[in-house]
Amino acid sequence: MEHSGGDLALIGATLRSNTGEASDATAILIRAGRIELVGTDAEIADAAAQFAIPTRDLGGATVTPGLFDSHTHPHWAASVTAGLDLGGLETIDELRAALAAEHARLPEDAWLRGWNLEYEAFEHTGLRGDLLADAAPGRPVALICYDLHTGLATAPALAAAGITGSRNFDDASEIVVDEAGVPTGELREPTAYNLVFDAAPQPSHDDARDGLRDMFRRLAAVGLTGGAIMDGKDATVDLLEELEERGELDHRLTVHHWHAVGDTDADVARVISEKDRSGRLWQTGAIKLFSDGVIDTGTAWLHEPDSCGDGRAAFWPSWERYGDVVRAYHDAGMLIATHAVGDFAVSRVLDVYAALPARDGLPFHSIEHLEVLSDGDVEQLRGSGVTASMQPLHMQWRSSDHSDTWAKRLGEDRSHTGYRVRDVLDAGARLVLGSDWPVAQYDPRVGMAWARGRHTPGDASANVFEPSQRLSGEEALLAYTLWPAQARGHADRGVIAIGAVGDLTVWGADPVATDADALPEMPIVLTVVDGRIVHEG
């Protein structure tokens, strides 16, 4: 089926165009999915009448280029969030009560799935499935921690997956066992925990497709018009293609294929051969790799060991192999994003990127997260051309007294080197923001509020983490609009200008001038993708 963009005229608006040019324009005309005219209300109303295009008077609402989440997992989230949300449950007793209630509700043969599990409940015991088994006797229970780096399974779930002891993996994944070699239920990193989740009943094709469609509609309701999918696989691309064919795709997407450490040269060649696969609203040609894990489990790669003596190992057994893989994808003209949470991981990835040959006319690569950075790492970013893709809203799990696992691992002094978005910008690096959904809330209003205020939005008494790192209102907006477009080499996105794609977010007030604490409650009036209204508040 042939698809073309929509036609729409918006008048009576305040425009934040991101063009850097002063203008008294208050209206926009979109034809076939692209902005054809920006001008006064009268000019746009006349043009719309000429082409019989519907006109919407926004009554002074603010229009910005469409918001883009630079790091998200909507396909994964559609599956993961179908289970029990365990967020905010901080004790074993609270977890057991929630699991018992879900156990009583579920059919006898169903698995009990849960997500958003926090580490704090297991601070003194370690992650152990037996602590939760009696809450759902005989039923397979498979849970995933909020950061998507650790899973927890009870004995029935381990048995269903055929897990009876430790295994060797190509990457740093681990089946944790006790002194007797018996699995505790803790499964570190995706290669390990996916053994359990892959053994659980899977949704039908139609359910998976519709779940992804509905996920995009949830994202549109908070003003998002697109995002970078950071866990892409063949099934993801197939579903996007099918949704677009059905006229049910409401998001503009770049799919980063997830490269696993164990992938062979043949796997790399296959991915490269598919790099030009695309549709009207989606494209591939991008890669996601890991260099380390996360601070909370001691798997981040750090310049100095953490307080538990961890943090000195890469995700790859052979760092040389990482470099070879990056070079292959780079030479094929693909865009590479590398997960690097720890400061040493960031430095080592920058070393590999710096050795790559120039590619005229193509954007350069990104590093994802950069949770902690030494001064030397910030300087290494300067002039590198690397995009820093960061998520300041992940500070929501920090405690003002440094009692959280993240701060305990790093120590009080090093925890102050976290989420250095201001220093990254001042070093001349391009900054883009995202959520890492379902790790954190997908709402970009929350993400922008954290980037600007660095404290719990709306709580005047909340601790402000490293206030010198706060962004301005304009910078936060640019990091969700123009800068992601530039990072991906798109001259027709992230701006309100003639010829740009018709992706717009319409706000109830000006998101730049509004106080950061008020952002999460600001109404989203319209979300427009490709000239089509996909959400109306």
Side-chain angles (χ1 to χ4, degrees):
M1 181 185 301
E2 195 70 26
H3 292 287
S4 60
D7 299 336
L8 181 65
L10 301 176
I11 64 174
T14 299
L15 304 186
R16 282 203 171 269
S17 65
N18 287 353
T19 62
E21 300 176 1
S23 172
D24 59 358
T26 56
I28 304 166
L29 178 71
I30 301 173
R31 291 187 68 201
R34 288 193 174 267
I35 297 175
E36 185 166 293
L37 186 63
V38 179
T40 65
D41 287 358
E43 290 170 335
I44 299 305
D46 287 346
Q50 177 184 349
F51 297 110
I53 293 174
T55 301
R56 181 71 63 95
D57 190 336
L58 297 179
T62 298
V63 182
T64 69
L67 300 178
F68 186 92
D69 189 326
S70 290
H71 191 119
T72 185
H73 306 276
H75 189 190
W76 199 357
S79 171
V80 169
T81 60
L84 184 63
D85 185 353
L86 303 171
L89 304 181
E90 298 180 349
T91 69
I92 297 296
D93 287 343
E94 288 175 337
L95 287 169
R96 286 171 56 85
L99 295 178
E102 185 73 354
H103 171 67
R105 186 189 67 82
L106 289 172
E108 183 176 344
D109 59 348
W111 281 51
L112 199 165
R113 299 278 297 271
W115 65 288
N116 214 9
L117 180 67
E118 299 180 13
Y119 293 103
E120 275 66 26
F122 302 91
E123 181 178 358
H124 301 295
T125 62
L127 286 163
R128 287 171 38 198
D130 63 337
L131 297 174
L132 306 175
D134 290 346
R139 185 188 299 278
V141 177
L143 313 178
I144 191 166
C145 291
Y146 72 88
D147 59 7
L148 304 185
H149 280 265
T150 305
L152 181 62
T154 59
L158 294 173
I163 296 175
T164 59
S166 62
R167 299 186 190 181
N168 292 322
F169 295 102
D170 293 321
D171 55 28
S173 297
E174 179 184 2
I175 297 171
V176 178
V177 298
D178 62 18
E179 294 179 354
V182 176
T184 65
E186 180 181 358
L187 305 161
R188 294 179 179 171
E189 303 299 336
T191 310
Y193 67 63
N194 278 337
L195 295 172
V196 167
F197 287 103
D198 288 346
Q202 302 299 308
S204 69
H205 172 82
D206 287 356
D207 286 344
R209 180 198 64 222
D210 294 348
L212 184 57
R213 175 202 64 198
D214 294 344
M215 178 59 64
F216 290 138
R217 291 174 179 174
R218 288 173 61 186
L219 301 181
V222 295
L224 285 166
T225 63
I229 296 179
M230 286 290 169
D231 59 325
K233 43 190 178 287
D234 292 343
T236 309
V237 178
D238 291 342
L239 290 176
L240 294 179
E241 188 171 55
E242 184 176 353
L243 285 173
E244 188 163 67
E245 178 66 20
R246 293 166 60 93
E248 296 178 342
L249 183 59
D250 298 331
H251 230 51
R252 194 179 300 273
L253 300 150
T254 297
V255 181
H256 287 252
H257 183 91
W258 189 328
H259 178 100
V261 170
D263 285 353
T264 65
D265 288 344
D267 295 319
V268 173
R270 183 187 65 80
V271 172
I272 290 173
S273 72
E274 297 282 319
K275 70 182 180 67
D276 295 323
R277 192 176 174 190
S278 65
R280 181 177 177 86
L281 291 179
W282 57 273
Q283 64 186 83
T284 55
I287 293 295
K288 166 69 177 302
L289 305 98
F290 284 80
S291 67
D292 67 348
V294 292
I295 289 165
D296 295 82
T297 62
T299 54
W301 201 8
L302 302 168
H303 283 299
E304 300 293 337
D306 65 20
S307 62
C308 299
D310 296 324
R312 295 299 296 141
F315 197 65
W316 295 67
S318 168
W319 191 244
E320 182 180 359
R321 172 63 179 168
Y322 168 81
D324 291 343
V325 169
V326 166
R327 178 62 187 268
Y329 288 129
H330 174 87
D331 288 349
M334 302 184 75
L335 185 67
I336 299 166
T338 301
H339 167 117
V341 164
D343 43 19
F344 192 56
V346 173
S347 179
R348 294 304 305 274
V349 173
L350 285 169
D351 288 342
V352 172
Y353 284 180
L356 296 171
R359 303 186 305 180
D360 292 341
L362 292 176
F364 200 56
H365 311 304
S366 71
I367 298 179
E368 307 296 313
H369 306 308
L370 307 96
E371 281 192 16
V372 287
L373 294 170
S374 71
D375 290 345
D377 304 325
V378 174
E379 283 304 307
Q380 197 175 358
L381 274 168
R382 190 184 300 275
S384 67
V386 172
T387 294
S389 175
M390 302 177 73
Q391 299 84 37
L393 79 164
H394 290 193
M395 289 186 290
Q396 65 187 279
W397 294 293
R398 295 175 66 179
S399 300
S400 59
D401 62 359
H402 308 287
S403 62
D404 56 284
T405 305
W406 187 88
K408 284 183 177 179
R409 284 270 186 177
L410 289 173
E412 183 173 345
D413 289 342
R414 194 159 37 165
S415 67
H416 290 301
T417 68
Y419 307 95
R420 297 176 65 173
V421 288
R422 165 58 54 202
D423 290 341
V424 165
L425 270 184
D426 289 348
R430 179 176 289 117
L431 173 72
V432 298
L433 298 179
S435 65
D436 206 9
W437 166 248
V439 171
Q441 303 96 315
Y442 53 75
D443 193 330
R445 297 170 298 181
V446 176
M448 293 167 70
W450 269 100
R452 291 173 56 184
R454 295 183 72 91
H455 68 270
T456 303
D459 183 354
S461 65
N463 181 69
V464 177
F465 297 102
E466 299 83 44
S468 65
Q469 296 298 320
R470 288 180 289 201
L471 299 183
S472 70
E474 184 176 16
E475 289 165 340
L477 178 64
L478 289 168
Y480 269 101
T481 53
L482 179 61
W483 294 343
Q486 293 174 335
R488 297 179 179 280
H490 299 303
D492 61 350
R493 304 183 191 180
V495 293
I496 298 175
I498 294 173
V501 296
D503 297 352
L504 305 170
T505 303
V506 182
W507 307 71
D510 185 348
V512 170
T514 297
D515 185 85
D517 283 333
L519 268 177
E521 302 303 321
M522 182 180 292
I524 299 297
V525 178
L526 297 175
T527 304
V528 179
V529 176
D530 203 33
R532 296 181 292 113
I533 296 175
V534 298
H535 168 77
E536 184 168 359

